[in-house]
């Protein structure tokens, strides 16, 4: 008889928390930086030589997060903050005793420059709730990075705002300026504001990270440890209105047998953002276009379940964090809402005709309301494959205690014709009794025509993290008729228990920087207690002072197939219990090198046969403005019923003319699907928020061209 471990996990994670009462956020004395109001704004050119900056009160004294936590940084950093009726301005002076060694190569927006370059970033918690914040950063070449942070550490890089920034190198190191419009931020109505604030600097050549106010972790995304930004008074309360008229013109050719079908592309669209209050924002979209959104990387699926791909479409990224589950790691949550289910049907794009989204915060409540109408999808003969569908989502989340929350989500999917409608209702909670301990729980139910009973699911997870260690566990129970049509739940009728742990050791002797290992144990059964799958994994890694690294891993696995599985055409894996062990080894050079090479090799069993795999990745920067990246993955599968191999290639050529002018070529090959895909993108931001794109796409099926298209897209940003 199967016994649920859910009560055991609750006791295991809550009991230690009771042993020591958490320190209230209000009881912590926080470092402060003062913002000064000015009449004349500084010129945003990366230099802090404008007279107006002399009015600011500089704040210095950055503390190391690594390699020597708590000690002063080896190079001085100072921050200045100004504001006027339109913007808040941040100025950073990053002194360096060896300015010629300052590393800055990237100019692409939202590139992960913290892995390769010198870098500064800061967070502002405008509600001072120690949970959510805006994140901005740049490097010595002025690359713009912006993101949203939710739930005290969950990082959403795909969020974008309209702001200005610049950076420059000089004889004393480098410096940067930011101008953030108040209209891009949400904040409460007050005469005087206190915002949460923290900043950090990376000195790449020394592998040194430091922050403005000391924190307990290695990044500033943990908002509950931030200092305070004071001095903000009488901020603008006007209701902002942003309008983006969009025009798309082009041509598309589809090649079928001996026929070529050529269609013109004429797609006017409109995006509107209305600041109902400084707390609530309404987004409206009509005839939405995503021509500039990059395709997903090609991957090979060797499992029985769907692959997960992240959301990239701008409309669905506004208010990010409100609609998603509160767990910071997707696989540990109960993901009942997955926005990529909207606008995709039968493996094809479904045009979004119109949509609205209301997001914001009222007091301690975060709210989100979404409604999207998609068009029907037809086949080559004009017959309807998928009807027009209306999608709705409503979510309320209330902040409680210290960095904790409870929430409710309701989802509705309503086809115009054909199948009946579908609903999902869920409640969730996030509990942080201590800064090191995080627990999540959620319960949901679905209503689908033809599925009655056994339609609930629940999930609980918890993690305890120290400075260089972590331990956690999760339990998930999904009944057989739970049908999350707007979510990403790829297995039902299961009970899943997972435990994970990790530990690292800092060495800093000779050529060695650190070492560490991590492991996991996972078991999945059906509701009768029958084994579905089990895995035990362990990885061990070593990093050198040069930033180069290597690692090994082992993964015993058990998988039960209830019926025969045709993994590829004519190759069948028989039903029954399969056991195997996989081994792997890998390594790579440091990301900051002009030539980076990494790879891994794995081999071992695979169901009733064997598998070998090779993965290669890297980049090369032949000149300062050109970055070439690539990845190659190879699998060789040998089974009793046959064998096959797969190959995938993803290759990008990225030329940065400036932070506002980008040219990119993206090439993909997947022989498992027998496709070659090419994408050319030119993006020019001719003014903040306004962009011009030229996009060319080509798809080849085998040796034949299946589709070609070229479009121009113009976005004009109006701030009314």
């Amino acid at each position: 008889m199967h016994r649920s471990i859910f009560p055991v996990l609750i006791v295991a994670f809550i009991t230690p928390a009771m042993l020591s009462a958490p320190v209230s956020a209000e009881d912590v004395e926080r470092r402060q930086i003062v913002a000064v109001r000015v009449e004349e704004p500084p010129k945003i050119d990366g230099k802090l030589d404008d007279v107006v900056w002399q009015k600011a009160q500089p704040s210095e004294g950055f503390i190391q997060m690594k390699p020597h936590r708590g000690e002063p940084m080896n190079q001085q950093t100072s921050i200045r903050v100004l504001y006027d009726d339109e913007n808040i301005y941040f100025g950073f002076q990053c002194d360096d005793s060896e300015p010629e060694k300052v590393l800055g190569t990237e100019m692409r927006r939202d590139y992960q420059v913290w892995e390769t370059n010198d870098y500064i970033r800061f967070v502002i918690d405008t509600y001072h709730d120690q949970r959510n914040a805006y994140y901005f950063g740049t490097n010595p070449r002025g690359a713009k990075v912006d993101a949203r942070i939710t739930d005290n550490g969950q990082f959403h890089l795909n969020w974008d705002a309209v702001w200005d920034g610049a950076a420059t190198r000089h004889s004393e190191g480098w410096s940067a300026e930011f101008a953030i419009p108040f209209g891009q931020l949400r904040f409460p109505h007050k005469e005087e504001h206190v915002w949460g604030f923290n900043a950090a600097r990376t000195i790449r050549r020394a592998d040194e990270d430091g922050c403005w106010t000391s924190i307990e972790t290695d990044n500033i995304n943990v908002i509950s440890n931030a200092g305070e930004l004071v001095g903000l008074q009488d901020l603008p309360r006007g209701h902002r209105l942003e309008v983006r008229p969009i025009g798309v013109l082009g041509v598309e050719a589809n090649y079928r047998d001996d026929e070529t079908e050529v269609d013109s592309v004429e797609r006017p669209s409109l995006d509107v953002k209305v600041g109902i209050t400084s707390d609530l924002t309404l987004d409206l979209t009509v005839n939405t276009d995503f021509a500039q959104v990059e395709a997903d990387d090609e991957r090979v699926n060797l499992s029985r379940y769907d692959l997960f791909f992240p959301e990239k479409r701008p409309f669905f990224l506004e208010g990010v964090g409100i609609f998603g589950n509160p767990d910071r790691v997707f696989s540990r949550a109960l993901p009942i809402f997955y926005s990529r289910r909207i606008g995709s049907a039968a493996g094809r794009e479904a045009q979004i005709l119109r949509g609205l989204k209301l997001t914001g915060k009222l007091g301690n409540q975060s709210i989100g309301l979404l409604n999207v109408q998609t068009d029907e999808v037809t086949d080559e003969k004009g017959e309807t494959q998928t009807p027009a569908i209306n999608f709705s989502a409503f979510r309320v989340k209330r902040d409680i205690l210290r960095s904790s929350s409870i929430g409710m989500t309701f989802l509705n999917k309503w086809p115009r014709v054909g199948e009946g409608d579908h609903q999902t209702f869920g409640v969730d909670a996030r509990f942080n009794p201590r800064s090191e301990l995080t627990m999540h729980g959620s319960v949901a139910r679905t209503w689908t025509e033809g599925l009655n009973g056994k339609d609930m699911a629940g999930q609980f997870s918890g993690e305890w993290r120290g400075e260089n260690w972590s331990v956690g566990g999760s339990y998930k129970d999904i009944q057989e008729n739970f049908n999350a049509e707007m979510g990403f739940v790829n297995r039902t009728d299961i009970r899943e228990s997972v435990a994970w742990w990790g530990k690292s050791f800092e060495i800093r002797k000779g050529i060695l920087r650190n070492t560490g290992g991590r492991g996991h144990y996972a078991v999945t059964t059906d509701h009768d207690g029958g084994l579905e799958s089990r895995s035990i994994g362990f990885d061990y890694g070593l990093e050198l002072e040069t930033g180069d690294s290597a690692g090994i891993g082992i993964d015993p696995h058990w998988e039960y197939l209830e019926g025969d599985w045709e993994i590829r055409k004519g190759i069948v894996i028989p039903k029954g219990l399969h056991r195997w062990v996989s081994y792997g080894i890998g390594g790579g050079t440091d990301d900051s090198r002009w030539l980076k090479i990494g790879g891994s090799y794995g081999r071992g069993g695979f169901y009733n046969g064997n598998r070998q795999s090779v993965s290669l990745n890297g980049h090369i920067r032949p000149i300062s403005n050109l970055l070439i990246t690539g990845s190659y993955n190879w699998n060789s599968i040998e089974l009793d019923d046959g064998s096959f191999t797969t190959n995938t290639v993803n290759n990008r050529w990225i030329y940065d003319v400036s932070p506002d002018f980008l040219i990119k070529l993206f090439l993909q090959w997947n022989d498992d699907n027998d496709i070659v895909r090419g994408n050319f993108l030119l993006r020019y931001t001719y003014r903040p928020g306004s962009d011009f794109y030229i996009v060319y796409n080509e798809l080849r099926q085998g040796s034949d061209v299946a589709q070609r298209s070229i479009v121009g897209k113009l976005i004009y940003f109006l701030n009314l």
Side-chain angles (χ1 to χ4, degrees):
M1 179 177 178
H2 182 84
R3 181 181 177 185
S4 171
I5 68 169
F6 186 70
V8 179
L9 281 173
I10 293 178
V11 173
F13 283 104
I14 292 182
T15 301
M18 300 298 185
L19 300 180
S20 178
V23 178
S24 170
E26 287 74 17
D27 295 336
V28 178
E29 184 176 349
R30 299 179 182 273
R31 188 180 184 187
Q32 293 186 338
I33 186 171
V34 179
V36 177
R37 178 181 282 276
V38 294
E39 297 299 325
E40 290 292 329
K43 180 181 178 182
I44 305 302
D45 55 8
K47 305 173 184 178
L48 300 180
D49 55 1
D50 293 340
V51 176
V52 69
W53 282 116
Q54 297 178 10
K55 299 180 179 181
Q57 301 180 26
S59 184
E60 302 173 347
F62 275 51
I63 303 298
Q64 287 189 45
M65 295 184 286
K66 68 173 186 177
H68 305 297
R69 180 180 294 276
E71 296 184 9
M73 288 195 75
N74 291 309
Q75 308 290 346
Q76 181 171 291
T77 309
S78 63
I79 314 172
R80 293 169 170 81
V81 185
L82 304 172
Y83 72 103
D84 56 23
D85 290 336
E86 300 294 331
N87 305 297
I88 184 168
Y89 306 94
F90 295 86
F92 287 79
Q93 173 64 40
C94 302
D95 291 345
D96 200 304
S97 58
E98 299 177 290
E100 71 280 359
K101 294 184 179 180
V102 169
L103 186 57
T105 57
E106 310 295 340
M107 289 191 287
R108 185 164 31 132
R109 181 160 190 163
D110 287 343
Y111 188 75
Q112 297 178 5
V113 293
W114 52 86
E115 296 179 352
T116 60
N117 287 190
D118 282 45
Y119 183 55
I120 54 172
R121 63 274 194 195
F122 62 93
V123 293
I124 46 177
D125 172 11
T126 56
Y127 285 94
H128 205 207
D129 59 11
Q130 285 100 42
R131 293 170 172 84
N132 309 294
Y134 298 91
Y135 173 108
F136 299 92
T138 193
N139 68 343
R141 299 198 71 184
K144 292 182 179 179
V145 180
D146 50 9
R148 286 296 308 275
I149 298 171
T150 62
D151 295 322
N152 199 30
Q154 191 169 355
F155 189 71
H156 305 277
L157 185 59
N158 284 328
W159 176 83
D160 286 326
V162 179
W163 55 281
D164 197 11
T168 187
R169 302 184 193 186
H170 45 69
S171 60
E172 297 179 352
W174 66 287
S175 55
E177 294 174 303
F178 300 78
I180 314 297
F182 287 115
Q184 296 295 306
L185 308 175
R186 295 174 180 165
F187 47 85
H189 280 158
K190 292 181 179 180
E191 293 299 323
E192 185 171 351
H193 291 256
V194 176
W195 291 357
F197 176 80
N198 205 354
R201 177 183 177 185
T202 295
I203 304 174
R204 175 51 54 205
R205 69 180 184 276
D207 189 41
E208 182 178 349
D209 278 314
C211 64
W212 174 74
T213 185
S214 182
I215 58 176
E216 302 171 13
T217 61
D218 285 337
N219 64 71
I220 61 172
N221 300 345
V222 180
I223 307 303
S224 58
N225 294 320
E228 294 178 337
L229 173 61
V230 300
L232 298 170
Q233 297 180 342
D234 299 322
L235 299 185
R237 298 183 179 181
H239 300 172
R240 80 179 192 270
L241 173 62
E242 299 176 4
V243 180
R244 286 182 172 89
I246 302 168
V248 179
L249 292 174
V251 62
E252 179 179 284
N254 292 281
Y255 303 87
R256 301 185 180 96
D257 298 326
D258 295 329
E259 296 183 1
T260 301
E261 180 181 332
V262 179
D263 297 309
S264 62
V265 178
E266 301 173 357
R267 190 180 301 139
S269 59
L270 181 67
D271 293 342
V272 178
K273 186 186 299 290
V274 182
I276 298 177
T277 68
S278 60
D279 304 279
L280 291 175
T281 300
L282 176 65
D283 287 271
L284 304 170
T285 184
V286 178
N287 205 27
T288 317
D289 178 81
F290 303 118
Q292 79 279 15
V293 176
E294 184 182 81
D296 296 312
D297 280 8
E298 285 293 330
R299 289 192 279 167
V300 171
N301 191 354
L302 294 176
S303 75
R304 293 173 290 158
Y305 312 107
D306 292 338
L307 297 175
F308 172 77
F309 293 96
E311 180 62 82
K312 298 181 180 180
R313 298 169 297 176
F315 175 75
F316 294 100
L317 297 174
E318 174 67 26
V320 66
I322 294 179
F323 291 102
N325 271 269
D327 200 344
R328 68 177 62 188
V329 179
F330 191 89
S331 60
R332 300 176 196 163
L334 185 62
I336 60 175
F337 179 74
Y338 179 43
S339 60
R340 288 191 58 149
R341 299 294 188 207
I342 303 173
S344 177
R348 299 175 58 188
E349 178 184 351
Q351 176 64 41
I352 294 177
L353 300 178
R354 56 188 176 274
L356 67 84
K357 182 165 51 177
L358 179 68
T359 55
K361 193 164 187 176
L362 296 175
N364 290 328
Q365 285 76 231
S366 297
I367 65 170
L369 175 64
L370 172 72
N371 184 268
V372 175
Q373 179 66 52
T374 62
D375 201 359
E376 66 178 6
V377 177
T378 59
D379 59 19
E380 300 173 4
K381 299 179 181 179
E383 298 179 356
T384 299
Q385 287 185 306
T386 304
I389 300 176
N390 185 269
F391 297 87
S392 297
F394 175 68
R395 177 160 173 79
V396 178
K397 183 173 69 172
R398 180 176 176 83
D399 298 336
I400 60 172
L401 305 177
R402 181 183 186 269
S403 299
S404 303
S405 64
I406 55 175
M408 179 275 291
T409 303
F410 177 74
L411 308 171
N412 185 72
K413 178 183 176 183
W414 177 55
R416 286 288 182 86
V417 295
E419 60 188 78
D421 57 355
H422 166 85
Q423 293 84 35
T424 302
F425 178 78
V427 294
D428 57 77
R430 180 178 185 272
F431 183 41
N432 278 62
R434 301 173 57 89
S435 60
E436 308 93 342
L437 177 62
T438 302
M439 293 181 286
H440 300 94
S442 57
V443 177
R445 182 182 180 185
T446 62
W447 289 266
T448 305
E449 186 176 335
L451 297 177
N452 299 312
K454 297 183 179 181
D455 49 14
M456 295 191 68
Q459 167 268 334
F460 175 85
S461 68
E463 184 173 39
W464 197 300
R465 301 181 67 89
E467 181 177 338
N468 53 15
W469 60 270
S470 66
V471 60
S474 68
Y475 175 77
K476 185 182 297 181
D477 190 321
I478 304 177
Q479 296 181 333
E480 62 179 311
N481 289 332
F482 184 76
N483 181 32
E485 292 196 8
M486 290 178 63
F488 190 82
V489 177
N490 53 20
R491 299 182 71 174
T492 58
D493 190 22
I494 62 166
R495 290 188 173 114
E496 178 185 84
S497 304
V498 183
W500 63 88
W501 57 93
K503 172 69 175 176
S504 64
F505 303 88
E506 189 165 311
I507 302 174
R508 299 283 176 176
K509 292 183 179 180
I511 65 171
L512 302 179
R513 177 178 293 172
N514 59 61
T515 186
R518 61 183 181 181
H520 78 271
Y521 174 79
V523 59
T524 303
T525 69
D526 60 26
H527 281 84
D528 294 324
L531 181 66
E532 293 276 333
S533 63
R534 178 189 290 125
S535 69
I536 306 171
F538 178 75
D539 300 317
Y540 173 78
L542 180 69
E543 184 180 7
L544 307 180
E545 283 290 0
T546 58
D548 304 331
S549 60
I552 58 175
I554 182 173
D555 184 8
H557 199 92
W558 294 257
E559 192 80 18
Y560 179 77
L561 298 181
E562 187 174 352
D564 294 346
W565 175 34
E566 188 175 21
I567 186 172
R568 292 297 185 272
K569 186 176 181 180
I571 302 177
V572 177
I573 301 175
K575 66 180 181 180
L577 181 64
H578 299 267
R579 307 177 183 88
W580 69 88
V581 180
S582 299
Y583 306 88
I585 185 171
T589 59
D590 185 67
D591 287 341
S592 63
R593 297 177 186 267
W594 72 273
L595 174 63
K596 168 187 162 51
I597 300 175
S600 63
Y601 172 73
R603 70 175 302 157
F606 187 72
Y607 290 93
N608 63 346
N610 296 288
R611 174 186 176 184
Q612 293 188 77
S613 63
V614 173
S615 176
L616 301 173
N617 64 84
H619 69 239
I620 183 172
R621 185 178 291 279
I623 58 176
S624 61
N625 287 31
L626 176 62
L627 177 66
I628 304 171
T629 69
S631 66
Y632 170 70
N633 292 278
W634 170 81
N635 289 282
S636 175
I637 311 295
E638 296 181 355
L639 303 169
D640 290 348
D641 209 24
S643 61
F644 64 94
T645 61
T646 69
N647 296 272
T648 59
V649 173
N650 292 277
N651 174 228
R652 293 174 175 86
W653 295 59
I654 305 163
Y655 187 80
D656 295 307
V657 181
S658 73
D660 297 321
F661 195 173
L662 168 75
I663 299 173
K664 180 172 64 175
L665 178 64
F666 185 21
L667 303 174
Q668 300 173 284
W669 172 49
N670 185 339
D671 72 343
D672 195 45
N673 295 328
D674 198 22
I675 65 170
V676 176
R677 193 189 307 270
N679 167 261
F680 170 84
L681 171 71
L682 181 150
R683 190 211 71 207
Y684 175 54
T685 302
Y686 56 94
R687 51 177 288 189
S690 299
D691 299 283
F692 172 68
Y693 297 91
I694 296 177
V695 183
Y696 173 78
N697 288 296
E698 182 171 314
L699 173 65
R700 290 179 175 267
Q701 197 79 41
S703 59
D704 299 324
V705 177
Q707 186 182 72
R708 287 190 177 115
S709 67
I710 182 169
V711 299
K713 179 173 181 177
L714 181 67
I715 303 175
Y716 190 78
F717 175 72
L718 296 170
N719 190 5
L720 305 177

